[in-house]
mmCIF file of all heavy atoms in Angstrom:
data_model
loop_
_atom_site.group_PDB
_atom_site.id
_atom_site.type_symbol
_atom_site.label_atom_id
_atom_site.label_comp_id
_atom_site.label_asym_id
_atom_site.label_seq_id
_atom_site.Cartn_x
_atom_site.Cartn_y
_atom_site.Cartn_z
ATOM 1 N N ASN A 1 0.823 -1.195 0.007
ATOM 2 C CA ASN A 1 0.012 0.004 0.009
ATOM 3 C C ASN A 1 0.854 1.262 -0.002
ATOM 4 O O ASN A 1 0.522 2.263 -0.663
ATOM 5 C CB ASN A 1 -0.926 -0.001 1.213
ATOM 6 C CG ASN A 1 -2.010 -1.056 1.138
ATOM 7 O OD1 ASN A 1 -2.287 -1.594 0.058
ATOM 8 N ND2 ASN A 1 -2.604 -1.389 2.282
ATOM 9 N N ARG A 2 1.975 1.222 0.724
ATOM 10 C CA ARG A 2 2.862 2.374 0.760
ATOM 11 C C ARG A 2 3.502 2.612 -0.603
ATOM 12 O O ARG A 2 3.687 3.766 -1.006
ATOM 13 C CB ARG A 2 3.943 2.173 1.824
ATOM 14 C CG ARG A 2 3.419 2.321 3.243
ATOM 15 C CD ARG A 2 4.479 2.031 4.296
ATOM 16 N NE ARG A 2 3.986 2.271 5.631
ATOM 17 C CZ ARG A 2 4.660 1.988 6.751
ATOM 18 N NH1 ARG A 2 5.857 1.422 6.655
ATOM 19 N NH2 ARG A 2 4.142 2.266 7.929
ATOM 20 N N GLU A 3 3.874 1.534 -1.275
ATOM 21 C CA GLU A 3 4.461 1.670 -2.623
ATOM 22 C C GLU A 3 3.456 2.279 -3.606
ATOM 23 O O GLU A 3 3.803 3.134 -4.427
ATOM 24 C CB GLU A 3 4.940 0.305 -3.125
ATOM 25 C CG GLU A 3 6.135 -0.246 -2.394
ATOM 26 C CD GLU A 3 7.366 0.658 -2.570
ATOM 27 O OE1 GLU A 3 7.554 1.216 -3.639
ATOM 28 O OE2 GLU A 3 8.104 0.802 -1.576
ATOM 29 N N ILE A 4 2.195 1.861 -3.485
ATOM 30 C CA ILE A 4 1.139 2.416 -4.354
ATOM 31 C C ILE A 4 0.957 3.886 -4.014
ATOM 32 O O ILE A 4 0.836 4.748 -4.940
ATOM 33 C CB ILE A 4 -0.170 1.657 -4.167
ATOM 34 C CG1 ILE A 4 -0.022 0.212 -4.628
ATOM 35 C CG2 ILE A 4 -1.308 2.331 -4.928
ATOM 36 C CD1 ILE A 4 0.356 0.047 -6.091
ATOM 37 N N LEU A 5 0.913 4.217 -2.736
ATOM 38 C CA LEU A 5 0.686 5.608 -2.313
ATOM 39 C C LEU A 5 1.847 6.481 -2.800
ATOM 40 O O LEU A 5 1.620 7.658 -3.188
ATOM 41 C CB LEU A 5 0.546 5.687 -0.812
ATOM 42 C CG LEU A 5 0.058 7.007 -0.239
ATOM 43 C CD1 LEU A 5 -1.321 7.352 -0.833
ATOM 44 C CD2 LEU A 5 -0.035 6.943 1.269
ATOM 45 N N LYS A 6 3.075 5.968 -2.837
ATOM 46 C CA LYS A 6 4.212 6.747 -3.329
ATOM 47 C C LYS A 6 3.991 7.142 -4.765
ATOM 48 O O LYS A 6 4.266 8.274 -5.190
ATOM 49 C CB LYS A 6 5.493 5.897 -3.209
ATOM 50 C CG LYS A 6 6.047 5.805 -1.805
ATOM 51 C CD LYS A 6 7.322 4.976 -1.779
ATOM 52 C CE LYS A 6 7.866 4.799 -0.391
ATOM 53 N NZ LYS A 6 9.102 3.965 -0.392
ATOM 54 N N ARG A 7 3.464 6.218 -5.566
ATOM 55 C CA ARG A 7 3.235 6.490 -6.989
ATOM 56 C C ARG A 7 2.132 7.528 -7.191
ATOM 57 O O ARG A 7 2.231 8.391 -8.041
ATOM 58 C CB ARG A 7 2.896 5.198 -7.710
ATOM 59 C CG ARG A 7 4.100 4.270 -7.879
ATOM 60 C CD ARG A 7 3.704 2.820 -7.949
ATOM 61 N NE ARG A 7 4.804 1.914 -8.212
ATOM 62 C CZ ARG A 7 5.712 1.511 -7.326
ATOM 63 N NH1 ARG A 7 5.635 1.991 -6.086
ATOM 64 N NH2 ARG A 7 6.679 0.699 -7.657
ATOM 65 N N LEU A 8 1.112 7.460 -6.353
ATOM 66 C CA LEU A 8 0.037 8.458 -6.422
ATOM 67 C C LEU A 8 0.532 9.831 -6.024
ATOM 68 O O LEU A 8 0.180 10.839 -6.664
ATOM 69 C CB LEU A 8 -1.117 8.032 -5.504
ATOM 70 C CG LEU A 8 -1.775 6.692 -5.814
ATOM 71 C CD1 LEU A 8 -2.921 6.435 -4.840
ATOM 72 C CD2 LEU A 8 -2.307 6.616 -7.229
ATOM 73 N N ILE A 9 1.360 9.880 -4.986
ATOM 74 C CA ILE A 9 1.931 11.142 -4.548
ATOM 75 C C ILE A 9 2.843 11.729 -5.622
ATOM 76 O O ILE A 9 2.857 12.937 -5.899
ATOM 77 C CB ILE A 9 2.678 10.979 -3.212
ATOM 78 C CG1 ILE A 9 1.666 10.651 -2.100
ATOM 79 C CG2 ILE A 9 3.462 12.243 -2.865
ATOM 80 C CD1 ILE A 9 2.309 10.315 -0.775
ATOM 81 N N ASP A 10 3.668 10.878 -6.249
ATOM 82 C CA ASP A 10 4.550 11.333 -7.320
ATOM 83 C C ASP A 10 3.753 11.920 -8.484
ATOM 84 O O ASP A 10 4.163 12.906 -9.099
ATOM 85 C CB ASP A 10 5.417 10.184 -7.830
ATOM 86 C CG ASP A 10 6.502 9.796 -6.836
ATOM 87 O OD1 ASP A 10 6.796 10.610 -5.939
ATOM 88 O OD2 ASP A 10 7.058 8.676 -6.933
ATOM 89 N N ALA A 11 2.601 11.301 -8.787
ATOM 90 C CA ALA A 11 1.757 11.832 -9.869
ATOM 91 C C ALA A 11 1.220 13.199 -9.501
ATOM 92 O O ALA A 11 1.209 14.130 -10.345
ATOM 93 C CB ALA A 11 0.604 10.886 -10.138
ATOM 94 N N VAL A 12 0.801 13.397 -8.265
ATOM 95 C CA VAL A 12 0.305 14.684 -7.817
ATOM 96 C C VAL A 12 1.416 15.739 -7.861
ATOM 97 O O VAL A 12 1.211 16.859 -8.318
ATOM 98 C CB VAL A 12 -0.280 14.553 -6.367
ATOM 99 C CG1 VAL A 12 -0.628 15.934 -5.827
ATOM 100 C CG2 VAL A 12 -1.516 13.679 -6.386
ATOM 101 N N CYS A 13 2.582 15.366 -7.362
ATOM 102 C CA CYS A 13 3.748 16.299 -7.352
ATOM 103 C C CYS A 13 4.144 16.704 -8.772
ATOM 104 O O CYS A 13 4.437 17.888 -9.052
ATOM 105 C CB CYS A 13 4.934 15.672 -6.630
ATOM 106 S SG CYS A 13 4.702 15.471 -4.851
ATOM 107 N N TYR A 14 4.114 15.766 -9.708
ATOM 108 C CA TYR A 14 4.490 16.062 -11.109
ATOM 109 C C TYR A 14 3.505 17.050 -11.711
ATOM 110 O O TYR A 14 3.931 18.056 -12.322
ATOM 111 C CB TYR A 14 4.517 14.781 -11.903
ATOM 112 C CG TYR A 14 4.721 15.030 -13.390
ATOM 113 C CD1 TYR A 14 5.983 15.336 -13.894
ATOM 114 C CD2 TYR A 14 3.651 14.942 -14.257
ATOM 115 C CE1 TYR A 14 6.146 15.565 -15.275
ATOM 116 C CE2 TYR A 14 3.808 15.158 -15.621
ATOM 117 C CZ TYR A 14 5.062 15.470 -16.093
ATOM 118 O OH TYR A 14 5.219 15.708 -17.469
ATOM 119 N N LEU A 15 2.205 16.798 -11.576
ATOM 120 C CA LEU A 15 1.226 17.682 -12.146
ATOM 121 C C LEU A 15 1.243 19.060 -11.529
ATOM 122 O O LEU A 15 1.080 20.103 -12.192
ATOM 123 C CB LEU A 15 -0.190 17.060 -12.013
ATOM 124 C CG LEU A 15 -0.410 15.760 -12.782
ATOM 125 C CD1 LEU A 15 -1.808 15.232 -12.505
ATOM 126 C CD2 LEU A 15 -0.211 15.946 -14.271
ATOM 127 N N ALA A 16 1.456 19.117 -10.183
ATOM 128 C CA ALA A 16 1.546 20.400 -9.508
ATOM 129 C C ALA A 16 2.755 21.167 -9.950
ATOM 130 O O ALA A 16 2.688 22.404 -10.181
ATOM 131 C CB ALA A 16 1.558 20.170 -7.999
ATOM 132 N N LYS A 17 3.890 20.505 -10.094
ATOM 133 C CA LYS A 17 5.105 21.178 -10.516
ATOM 134 C C LYS A 17 5.014 21.737 -11.913
ATOM 135 O O LYS A 17 5.485 22.836 -12.214
ATOM 136 C CB LYS A 17 6.288 20.184 -10.422
ATOM 137 C CG LYS A 17 7.631 20.786 -10.812
ATOM 138 C CD LYS A 17 8.718 19.760 -10.698
ATOM 139 C CE LYS A 17 10.084 20.351 -11.116
ATOM 140 N NZ LYS A 17 11.156 19.319 -11.046
ATOM 141 N N GLN A 18 4.351 20.991 -12.793
ATOM 142 C CA GLN A 18 4.168 21.425 -14.166
ATOM 143 C C GLN A 18 2.949 22.366 -14.355
ATOM 144 O O GLN A 18 2.680 22.810 -15.476
ATOM 145 C CB GLN A 18 3.990 20.208 -15.087
ATOM 146 C CG GLN A 18 5.165 19.253 -15.127
ATOM 147 C CD GLN A 18 6.436 19.954 -15.575
ATOM 148 O OE1 GLN A 18 7.393 20.033 -14.808
ATOM 149 N NE2 GLN A 18 6.453 20.448 -16.805
ATOM 150 N N GLU A 19 2.221 22.609 -13.258
ATOM 151 C CA GLU A 19 1.067 23.515 -13.269
ATOM 152 C C GLU A 19 0.025 23.022 -14.248
ATOM 153 O O GLU A 19 -0.537 23.787 -15.040
ATOM 154 C CB GLU A 19 1.474 24.944 -13.547
ATOM 155 C CG GLU A 19 2.417 25.522 -12.542
ATOM 156 C CD GLU A 19 2.777 26.969 -12.809
ATOM 157 O OE1 GLU A 19 2.274 27.516 -13.793
ATOM 158 O OE2 GLU A 19 3.569 27.554 -12.060
ATOM 159 N N LEU A 20 -0.251 21.713 -14.231
ATOM 160 C CA LEU A 20 -1.220 21.112 -15.111
ATOM 161 C C LEU A 20 -2.508 20.782 -14.376
ATOM 162 O O LEU A 20 -2.475 20.441 -13.189
ATOM 163 C CB LEU A 20 -0.660 19.827 -15.717
ATOM 164 C CG LEU A 20 0.569 19.994 -16.619
ATOM 165 C CD1 LEU A 20 1.117 18.604 -17.009
ATOM 166 C CD2 LEU A 20 0.236 20.789 -17.871
ATOM 167 N N PRO A 21 -3.659 20.904 -15.036
ATOM 168 C CA PRO A 21 -4.917 20.526 -14.374
ATOM 169 C C PRO A 21 -4.971 19.031 -14.130
ATOM 170 O O PRO A 21 -4.391 18.242 -14.899
ATOM 171 C CB PRO A 21 -5.979 20.979 -15.386
ATOM 172 C CG PRO A 21 -5.283 20.971 -16.692
ATOM 173 C CD PRO A 21 -3.866 21.380 -16.409
ATOM 174 N N PHE A 22 -5.686 18.620 -13.092
ATOM 175 C CA PHE A 22 -5.748 17.216 -12.716
ATOM 176 C C PHE A 22 -6.818 16.459 -13.458
ATOM 177 O O PHE A 22 -6.611 15.349 -13.908
ATOM 178 C CB PHE A 22 -5.969 17.070 -11.217
ATOM 179 C CG PHE A 22 -4.715 17.243 -10.399
ATOM 180 C CD1 PHE A 22 -4.002 18.423 -10.392
ATOM 181 C CD2 PHE A 22 -4.239 16.209 -9.617
ATOM 182 C CE1 PHE A 22 -2.847 18.575 -9.653
ATOM 183 C CE2 PHE A 22 -3.097 16.314 -8.871
ATOM 184 C CZ PHE A 22 -2.391 17.496 -8.886
ATOM 185 N N ARG A 23 -8.022 17.051 -13.525
ATOM 186 C CA ARG A 23 -9.182 16.309 -14.011
ATOM 187 C C ARG A 23 -9.666 16.790 -15.360
ATOM 188 O O ARG A 23 -9.472 17.954 -15.692
ATOM 189 C CB ARG A 23 -10.297 16.376 -12.978
ATOM 190 C CG ARG A 23 -9.960 15.640 -11.694
ATOM 191 C CD ARG A 23 -11.147 15.499 -10.765
ATOM 192 N NE ARG A 23 -11.429 16.708 -10.045
ATOM 193 C CZ ARG A 23 -10.857 17.061 -8.893
ATOM 194 N NH1 ARG A 23 -9.935 16.284 -8.393
ATOM 195 N NH2 ARG A 23 -11.191 18.152 -8.280
ATOM 196 N N GLY A 24 -10.313 15.884 -16.096
ATOM 197 C CA GLY A 24 -10.863 16.203 -17.396
ATOM 198 C C GLY A 24 -12.374 16.318 -17.309
ATOM 199 O O GLY A 24 -12.970 16.085 -16.264
ATOM 200 N N HIS A 25 -12.998 16.667 -18.409
ATOM 201 C CA HIS A 25 -14.453 16.819 -18.439
ATOM 202 C C HIS A 25 -15.159 15.459 -18.422
ATOM 203 O O HIS A 25 -16.272 15.328 -17.905
ATOM 204 C CB HIS A 25 -14.892 17.608 -19.694
ATOM 205 C CG HIS A 25 -14.357 19.007 -19.694
ATOM 206 N ND1 HIS A 25 -14.837 19.980 -18.851
ATOM 207 C CD2 HIS A 25 -13.424 19.609 -20.463
ATOM 208 C CE1 HIS A 25 -14.192 21.119 -19.061
ATOM 209 N NE2 HIS A 25 -13.337 20.914 -20.027
ATOM 210 N N ASP A 26 -14.495 14.446 -18.964
ATOM 211 C CA ASP A 26 -15.101 13.100 -19.023
ATOM 212 C C ASP A 26 -14.027 12.082 -18.602
ATOM 213 O O ASP A 26 -13.079 11.821 -19.333
ATOM 214 C CB ASP A 26 -15.584 12.800 -20.437
ATOM 215 C CG ASP A 26 -16.268 11.414 -20.532
ATOM 216 O OD1 ASP A 26 -16.478 10.764 -19.454
ATOM 217 O OD2 ASP A 26 -16.562 10.967 -21.644
ATOM 218 N N GLU A 27 -14.203 11.484 -17.392
ATOM 219 C CA GLU A 27 -13.193 10.568 -16.897
ATOM 220 C C GLU A 27 -13.713 9.124 -16.921
ATOM 221 O O GLU A 27 -13.172 8.251 -16.239
ATOM 222 C CB GLU A 27 -12.808 10.931 -15.445
ATOM 223 C CG GLU A 27 -12.120 12.271 -15.337
ATOM 224 C CD GLU A 27 -11.598 12.537 -13.922
ATOM 225 O OE1 GLU A 27 -11.818 11.688 -13.055
ATOM 226 O OE2 GLU A 27 -10.916 13.571 -13.717
ATOM 227 N N SER A 28 -14.738 8.847 -17.693
ATOM 228 C CA SER A 28 -15.269 7.496 -17.830
ATOM 229 C C SER A 28 -14.299 6.598 -18.554
ATOM 230 O O SER A 28 -13.339 7.067 -19.210
ATOM 231 C CB SER A 28 -16.632 7.519 -18.573
ATOM 232 O OG SER A 28 -16.458 8.009 -19.897
ATOM 233 N N ASN A 29 -14.515 5.288 -18.470
ATOM 234 C CA ASN A 29 -13.613 4.317 -19.085
ATOM 235 C C ASN A 29 -13.580 4.434 -20.596
ATOM 236 O O ASN A 29 -12.610 4.106 -21.252
ATOM 237 C CB ASN A 29 -14.005 2.878 -18.704
ATOM 238 C CG ASN A 29 -13.819 2.635 -17.220
ATOM 239 O OD1 ASN A 29 -12.931 3.211 -16.597
ATOM 240 N ND2 ASN A 29 -14.632 1.769 -16.631
ATOM 241 N N THR A 30 -14.648 4.938 -21.204
ATOM 242 C CA THR A 30 -14.720 5.052 -22.668
ATOM 243 C C THR A 30 -14.158 6.388 -23.172
ATOM 244 O O THR A 30 -14.055 6.589 -24.383
ATOM 245 C CB THR A 30 -16.168 4.924 -23.129
ATOM 246 O OG1 THR A 30 -16.982 5.929 -22.509
ATOM 247 C CG2 THR A 30 -16.718 3.543 -22.785
ATOM 248 N N SER A 31 -13.800 7.270 -22.258
ATOM 249 C CA SER A 31 -13.290 8.591 -22.660
ATOM 250 C C SER A 31 -11.867 8.507 -23.256
ATOM 251 O O SER A 31 -11.048 7.721 -22.787
ATOM 252 C CB SER A 31 -13.281 9.514 -21.455
ATOM 253 O OG SER A 31 -12.712 10.770 -21.785
ATOM 254 N N ALA A 32 -11.627 9.302 -24.282
ATOM 255 C CA ALA A 32 -10.309 9.339 -24.881
ATOM 256 C C ALA A 32 -9.349 10.179 -24.055
ATOM 257 O O ALA A 32 -8.128 10.044 -24.181
ATOM 258 C CB ALA A 32 -10.378 9.855 -26.305
ATOM 259 N N ASP A 33 -9.884 11.068 -23.241
ATOM 260 C CA ASP A 33 -9.050 11.920 -22.370
ATOM 261 C C ASP A 33 -9.671 11.957 -20.982
ATOM 262 O O ASP A 33 -10.636 12.646 -20.753
ATOM 263 C CB ASP A 33 -8.962 13.316 -22.941
ATOM 264 C CG ASP A 33 -8.057 14.230 -22.144
ATOM 265 O OD1 ASP A 33 -7.428 13.702 -21.164
ATOM 266 O OD2 ASP A 33 -7.979 15.432 -22.418
ATOM 267 N N LYS A 34 -9.089 11.177 -20.082
ATOM 268 C CA LYS A 34 -9.671 11.022 -18.722
ATOM 269 C C LYS A 34 -9.088 12.069 -17.756
ATOM 270 O O LYS A 34 -9.344 11.973 -16.568
ATOM 271 C CB LYS A 34 -9.387 9.610 -18.186
ATOM 272 C CG LYS A 34 -9.966 8.484 -19.027
ATOM 273 C CD LYS A 34 -9.633 7.146 -18.413
ATOM 274 C CE LYS A 34 -10.198 5.994 -19.243
ATOM 275 N NZ LYS A 34 -9.567 5.945 -20.589
ATOM 276 N N GLY A 35 -8.323 13.006 -18.261
ATOM 277 C CA GLY A 35 -7.691 13.968 -17.386
ATOM 278 C C GLY A 35 -6.237 13.596 -17.142
ATOM 279 O O GLY A 35 -5.827 12.433 -17.276
ATOM 280 N N ASN A 36 -5.422 14.592 -16.798
ATOM 281 C CA ASN A 36 -3.953 14.376 -16.696
ATOM 282 C C ASN A 36 -3.602 13.380 -15.621
ATOM 283 O O ASN A 36 -2.665 12.579 -15.781
ATOM 284 C CB ASN A 36 -3.273 15.733 -16.430
ATOM 285 C CG ASN A 36 -3.291 16.631 -17.646
ATOM 286 O OD1 ASN A 36 -3.216 16.188 -18.788
ATOM 287 N ND2 ASN A 36 -3.462 17.925 -17.411
#
């Protein structure tokens, strides 16, 4: 669980550092763009 949480935290840190939005308009499984 800690290893998984590290990867989630790294994803958050990367998007925050690059000043990118987190979520998209459509995050369903069929969406072509589920958000960054």
